[in-house]
Amino acid sequence: MNSQIPFDRSTLSPKWQFRFDFFDRTGGPKDPRFKTALKELSFGERIKVGTNFYAFFFGFIYFFILGLWRKALALVGISLALGVLGVFLPDMVVRAFGFAFTLLTAMAANYAFYLDRVKGSTSWNPYEGVRWW
């Protein structure tokens, strides 16, 4: 973790401010408080905190847009590896892997952005902080 100048949250949209405040209060996905607090949210708020629409559809491109270039490059590498592996697997398995990969990326994006901006993370792991990772 790098020490950096505190991030000005007033530049964020209300959606991102809500996410960042939630992560501050609960300590992130690996903290036991997170799961409990997540259950207390409405369905829409859970979706807002737990997944990112743009990351689901645009993957590593969205990570580049957010400034998470290390994680974006790692996602490109994972995509290429899955693509090479996919040549040897049945189409249905490739589609399942593809969907799982995009869903996992969408679930990791919000916390990855939080870690970068608030905690100063310089990790290459795009799934840093995901509960089961």
Side-chain angles (χ1 to χ4, degrees):
M1 303 282 170
N2 288 345
S3 62
Q4 63 182 28
I5 299 169
F7 180 65
D8 179 16
R9 295 179 188 205
S10 66
T11 61
L12 296 174
S13 70
K15 183 184 283 190
W16 279 110
Q17 288 179 15
F18 176 82
R19 290 169 176 158
F20 278 31
D21 290 342
F22 186 80
F23 293 140
D24 282 339
R25 281 193 330 264
T26 62
K30 289 190 176 182
D31 192 304
R33 298 175 296 164
F34 180 85
K35 192 173 183 181
T36 305
L38 198 61
K39 289 179 183 179
E40 295 171 2
L41 297 177
S42 69
F43 178 74
E45 289 174 330
R46 276 185 260 157
I47 297 296
K48 188 188 304 185
V49 168
T51 58
N52 190 297
F53 173 82
Y54 296 115
F56 182 81
F57 288 102
F58 302 108
F60 70 86
I61 295 169
Y62 187 62
F63 273 64
F64 275 123
I65 290 168
L66 289 177
L68 305 173
W69 62 270
R70 287 178 186 89
K71 293 176 186 341
L73 288 175
L75 287 171
V76 169
I78 294 168
S79 296
L80 290 173
L82 287 175
V84 169
L85 182 64
V87 171
F88 304 104
L89 298 171
D91 186 51
M92 192 158 81
V93 173
V94 172
R95 289 175 191 255
F97 277 153
F99 181 76
F101 174 68
T102 56
L103 185 60
L104 188 59
T105 300
M107 292 171 66
N110 295 338
Y111 194 62
F113 187 54
Y114 170 81
L115 288 175
D116 180 71
R117 293 297 185 256
V118 175
K119 305 292 184 182
S121 173
T122 57
S123 170
W124 288 76
N125 180 1
Y127 306 116
E128 177 183 17
V130 173
R131 262 182 280 168
W132 54 83
W133 202 259

